[in-house]
């Protein structure tokens, strides 16, 4: 379980997280949604100890992320930020192999290499495995980073907008993959998503944020309602049920 | 094959110089030749190999830490700070042993490099070319301070000997400090994965369970000590740490575990060739290796800058 208590974070005068309390049980896919600047990414970064809170605490299975040893957490929780720019020239396989670092400390065993190959296959990267990252498109690179994170083989996977740069086909593949990671491998997946329809379709649990506060949380059915979405996005969105799925129309 | 070529060059280096030392004279048990070999030629060749390998690896680490292709100890204020350190210790305690000079120079180098990395944090637009420019400017300022005091204290000539890499003064008993660089290079190789990770930035490093700060500190200490030892014993060898890692990166990428041995061997080979050229080009006089490396290295640096700059931009 990830437990956030009283999380507060400011940049200068701007309070990006304002006393956030949140409990995310183990298993399943949780989507963090909200407008730009609502604090989703900051919350995710704080949960994964990439940012330090000004006040409050985050625990993962009872371990406080700000005090637990880095390598202990790295075997439990993997995370990926939105923009990952590398100056180092690495091959896709090198990068994915680094995902095993918390387990192998740089001396990859046969078991580690099995994980690497599986991740490459999962993300449809086998043909690109020996290419350098700077020779790939943005979407291919994004998949390589996700492959690295999955290769870490952790109970918790926290991703900030993993659909960035992905075309429709790979975006769908990515969400299905995260679904499988939760269903088959028992991982707890937390993703920041822009598209509420994607969130409604693939997540078990939706957390909606606005101005640094969690304004709603619940199942997709509970969140995908016109009055809730108005509160989150300041937009009147009509929600339809199409082929059994909830879809909010935001183009009309 | 590259290793073999460097080996051959190293053997050649043993037999190039003003006094005649050849395999024949050695076989004839010429005491004079043997003495020259053991006291001068062998130490010189070893010094070249050690300094070349270590400076090239230090350059590669610098590039990982600053996450920029175009930095190395002589474009980041490290070397200039080390020189300032030597000046300070020379003025305050002229009779200090070499080891003390080296440690003071290391400390200055560490402070200078840390300052460079701090400055980078304030540069809003970290474009590929701005980073080395900041380093060059910082180095220029530190160098100017050093020159000013050296001028006032009548130490300009000593200053010139520190800032121009030259192996001609290397004799047995005056290069052994360089073995420290071998130890540092080995440490760098053992920690290669960490430096590669640091090159991926603090978020990815943290995600994979490593302390970014620890890796940065380790790297800074290695780079500073290597620079200081090399400056104290043979003087500044510019551009080496830039050219060699970049060429290797173009061929093999940046996974340091894989590339570090190549960088070390090619760095040693590059300096060896430059030193040989310096010894042969106007025999029986010598051109300091710093000058030869400077000329060849700056040309290669420009070529890399134009090539990579255009692609990265």
């Amino acid at each position: 379980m990830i437990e956030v208590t009283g999380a507060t974070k400011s940049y200068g005068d701007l309070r990006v997280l304002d006393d956030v309390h949140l409990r995310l049980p183990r298993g399943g896919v949780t989507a963090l949604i909200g407008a730009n600047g609502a604090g989703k990414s900051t919350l995710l970064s704080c949960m994964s100890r990439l940012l330090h809170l000004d006040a409050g605490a985050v625990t993962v299975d009872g371990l406080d992320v700000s005090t637990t040893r880095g390598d202990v957490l790295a075997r439990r929780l993997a995370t990926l930020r939105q923009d990952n720019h590398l100056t180092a020239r690495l091959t896709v396989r090198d990068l994915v192999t680094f995902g095993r670092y918390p387990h192998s400390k740089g001396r990859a065993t046969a078991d580690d290499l099995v994980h690497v190959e599986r991740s490459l296959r999962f993300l449809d990267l086998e043909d690109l495995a020996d290419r350098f990252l700077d020779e790939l498109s943005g979407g291919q690179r994004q998949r390589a980073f996700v492959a690295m994170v999955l290769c870490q083989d952790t109970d918790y996977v926290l991703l900030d907008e993993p659909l960035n740069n992905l075309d429709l086909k790979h975006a769908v593949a990515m969400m299905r993959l995260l679904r499988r990671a939760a269903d088959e491998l028992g991982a707890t997946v937390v993703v920041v998503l822009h598209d509420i329809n994607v969130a409604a379709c693939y997540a078990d649990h939706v957390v909606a944020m606005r101005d640094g506060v969690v304004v709603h949380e619940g199942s997709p059915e509970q969140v995908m309602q016109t009055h809730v979405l108005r509160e989150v996005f300041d937009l009147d969105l009509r929600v339809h049920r199409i082929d059994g799925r909830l879809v909010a129309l935001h183009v009309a | 094959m590259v290793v073999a070529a460097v080996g051959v060059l190293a053997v050649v280096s043993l037999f190039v110089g003003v006094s005649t030392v050849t395999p024949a004279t050695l076989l004839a048990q010429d005491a004079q030749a043997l003495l020259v070999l053991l006291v001068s030629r062998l130490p010189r060749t070893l010094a070249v190999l050690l300094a070349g390998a270590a400076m090239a690896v230090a350059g590669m680490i610098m590039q990982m830490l600053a996450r920029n292709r175009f930095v190395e100890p002589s474009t980041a204020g490290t070397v200039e700070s080390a020189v300032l350190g030597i000046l300070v210790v020379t003025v305050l305690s002229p009779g200090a042993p070499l080891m003390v000079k080296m440690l003071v120079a290391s400390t200055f180098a560490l402070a200078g490099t840390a300052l460079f990395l701090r400055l980078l944090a304030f540069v809003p637009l970290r474009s590929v070319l701005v980073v080395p420019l900041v380093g060059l400017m910082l180095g220029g300022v530190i160098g100017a301070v050093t020159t000013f005091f050296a001028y006032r204290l009548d130490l300009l000539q000593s200053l010139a000997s520190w800032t121009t890499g030259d192996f001609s003064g290397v004799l047995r008993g005056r290069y052994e400090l360089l073995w420290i660089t071998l130890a540092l290079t080995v440490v760098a190789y053992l920690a290669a994965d960490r430096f590669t990770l640091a090159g991926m930035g603090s978020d990815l490093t943290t995600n994979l369970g490593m302390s970014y700060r620890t890796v940065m500190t380790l790297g800074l200490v290695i780079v500073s000590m290597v620079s200081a030892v090399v400056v104290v014993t043979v003087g500044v060898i510019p551009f080496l740490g830039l050219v060699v890692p970049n060429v290797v990166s173009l061929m093999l990428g940046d996974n340091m575990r894989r590339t570090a041995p190549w960088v070390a061997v090619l760095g040693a080979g590059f300096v060896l060739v430059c030193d040989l050229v310096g010894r042969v080009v106007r025999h029986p006089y010598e051109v300091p290796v710093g000058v030869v490396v400077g000329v060849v290295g700056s040309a290669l640096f420009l070529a890399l800058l134009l090539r990579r700059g255009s692609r990265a931009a």
Side-chain angles (χ1 to χ4, degrees):
Chain A
M1 182 170 68
I2 298 180
E3 191 161 15
V4 180
T5 40
T8 302
K9 173 88 189 166
S10 308
Y11 296 117
D13 291 336
L14 188 68
R15 191 162 265 215
V16 219
L17 290 182
D18 194 357
D19 195 27
V20 173
H21 292 263
L22 194 63
R23 287 160 72 101
L24 301 176
R26 279 212 55 170
V29 175
T30 298
L32 288 179
I33 62 165
N36 292 334
K40 315 172 296 263
S41 293
T42 306
L43 180 61
L44 197 85
S45 294
C46 291
M47 283 193 213
S48 50
R49 53 124 162 51
L50 299 183
L51 280 179
H52 296 291
L53 287 169
D54 298 335
V58 176
T59 59
V60 175
D61 288 345
L63 299 171
D64 187 324
V65 295
S66 61
T67 53
T68 306
R69 282 174 52 120
D71 57 336
V72 174
L73 272 180
R75 287 191 293 268
R76 236 167 240 269
L77 177 149
T79 187
L80 188 65
R81 273 196 154 168
Q82 223 178 108
D83 40 353
N84 296 284
H85 177 72
L86 277 199
T87 36
R89 273 184 100 222
L90 293 177
T91 62
V92 173
R93 183 174 274 115
D94 282 342
L95 181 75
V96 177
T97 309
F98 268 112
R100 295 306 294 169
Y101 191 87
H103 305 271
S104 69
K105 299 291 174 213
R107 312 248 177 292
T109 62
D111 180 48
D112 291 321
L113 296 180
V114 169
H115 273 98
V116 171
E117 293 309 317
R118 192 189 312 155
S119 284
L120 288 171
R121 200 166 50 241
F122 261 17
L123 282 136
D124 197 13
L125 287 167
E126 286 159 306
D127 295 340
L128 303 173
D130 294 311
R131 294 267 291 277
F132 283 108
L133 289 168
D134 58 358
E135 298 164 352
L136 303 182
S137 74
Q140 292 168 331
R141 216 174 299 146
Q142 175 73 0
R143 275 151 54 205
F145 279 108
V146 172
M148 181 197 89
V149 164
L150 287 186
C151 201
Q152 229 173 304
D153 193 23
T154 51
D155 293 340
Y156 296 89
V157 179
L158 276 57
L159 304 171
D160 195 351
E161 303 215 17
L163 305 186
N164 254 4
N165 291 321
L166 295 188
D167 57 35
L168 211 49
K169 175 183 163 205
H170 284 107
V172 170
M174 177 71 70
M175 289 315 297
R176 286 194 179 143
L177 178 85
L178 296 179
R179 199 58 257 175
R180 271 177 67 196
D183 296 340
E184 293 171 22
L185 308 174
T188 307
V189 179
V190 184
V191 274
V192 172
L193 289 175
H194 248 314
D195 190 327
I196 46 171
N197 292 330
V198 173
C201 178
Y202 291 97
D204 306 300
H205 192 71
V206 179
V207 175
M209 293 186 70
R210 178 174 182 162
D211 301 331
V213 182
V214 173
V215 283
H216 273 284
E217 98 178 271
S219 66
E221 277 78 16
Q222 290 168 316
V223 176
M224 290 295 273
Q225 299 183 56
T226 302
H227 72 276
V228 174
L229 295 177
R230 185 186 307 122
E231 210 177 316
V232 176
F233 293 102
D234 255 344
L235 275 175
D236 280 313
L237 301 174
R238 292 176 51 197
V239 180
H240 300 267
R241 193 172 279 276
I242 303 176
D243 291 347
R245 301 200 183 283
L246 290 169
V247 177
L249 274 185
H250 45 61
V251 280
Chain B
M1 207 196 63
V2 176
V3 177
V6 174
V8 169
L9 283 172
V11 174
V12 170
S13 157
L14 293 177
F15 299 108
V16 172
V18 176
S19 23
T20 315
V21 180
T22 64
T25 57
L26 287 179
L27 283 175
Q29 306 213 320
D30 183 335
Q32 179 66 30
L34 192 63
L35 191 71
V36 170
L37 180 77
L38 290 182
V39 173
S40 164
R41 299 287 170 73
L42 190 60
R44 177 174 191 154
T45 305
L46 286 173
V48 167
L49 295 176
L50 290 170
M55 279 306 277
V57 171
M60 175 168 54
I61 294 177
M62 225 23 241
Q63 284 149 32
M64 289 293 179
L65 298 187
R67 302 187 70 194
N68 184 289
R69 295 253 153 249
F70 301 120
V71 293
E72 68 122 19
S74 71
T75 62
T78 311
V79 163
E80 289 79 3
S81 307
V83 172
L84 180 61
I86 302 176
L87 180 76
V88 167
V89 78
T90 307
V91 170
L92 296 183
S93 163
L98 211 52
M99 194 67 179
V100 173
K101 284 190 179 171
M102 190 278 285
L103 286 174
V104 174
S106 300
T107 313
F108 272 75
L110 194 64
T113 319
L115 178 65
F116 168 65
L117 291 174
R118 286 296 299 156
L119 279 179
L120 282 190
F122 291 108
V123 177
L125 240 179
R126 285 185 62 174
S127 96
V128 199
L129 299 181
V130 166
V131 174
L133 280 178
V134 170
L136 287 169
M137 283 193 282
L138 177 67
V141 171
I142 297 172
V145 172
T146 311
T147 309
F148 174 76
F149 283 107
Y151 174 72
R152 280 306 180 89
L153 299 165
D154 216 8
L155 283 169
L156 276 180
Q157 230 166 9
S158 310
L159 185 65
S161 78
W162 302 324
T163 48
T164 313
D166 186 4
F167 288 98
S168 64
V170 171
L171 293 172
R172 190 168 65 194
R174 286 180 52 186
Y175 82 103
E176 282 77 359
L177 215 50
L178 280 171
W179 287 105
I180 296 177
T181 65
L182 180 65
L184 291 167
T185 309
V186 170
V187 172
Y189 179 68
L190 292 177
D193 284 329
R194 289 155 207 261
F195 293 126
T196 310
L197 266 178
M200 293 157 62
S202 78
D203 289 346
L204 285 173
T205 310
T206 310
N207 170 46
L208 293 175
M210 214 153 39
S211 159
Y212 188 62
R213 189 180 283 267
T214 311
V215 184
M216 289 294 270
T217 311
L218 176 66
L220 281 181
V221 168
I222 291 179
V223 169
S224 307
M225 284 191 74
V226 165
S227 306
V229 170
V230 171
V231 171
V232 166
T233 47
V234 298
V236 179
I237 311 174
F239 294 113
L240 172 64
L242 202 69
V243 173
V244 175
N246 268 291
V247 169
V248 172
S249 161
L250 280 175
M251 295 186 308
L252 298 169
D254 288 322
N255 191 344
M256 242 182 89
R257 167 86 49 212
R258 199 178 309 134
T259 57
W262 286 94
V263 170
V265 170
L266 286 175
F270 182 58
V271 179
L272 195 55
V273 169
C274 288
D275 187 51
L276 279 170
V277 169
R279 273 190 268 174
V280 171
V281 93
R282 48 170 211 155
H283 189 80
Y285 303 105
E286 284 201 17
V287 179
V289 73
V291 174
V292 181
V293 177
V295 170
V296 180
S298 55
L300 282 170
F301 179 44
L302 274 177
L304 285 169
L305 208 62
L306 292 172
R307 188 196 152 104
R308 287 208 116 137
S310 63
R311 208 174 49 166

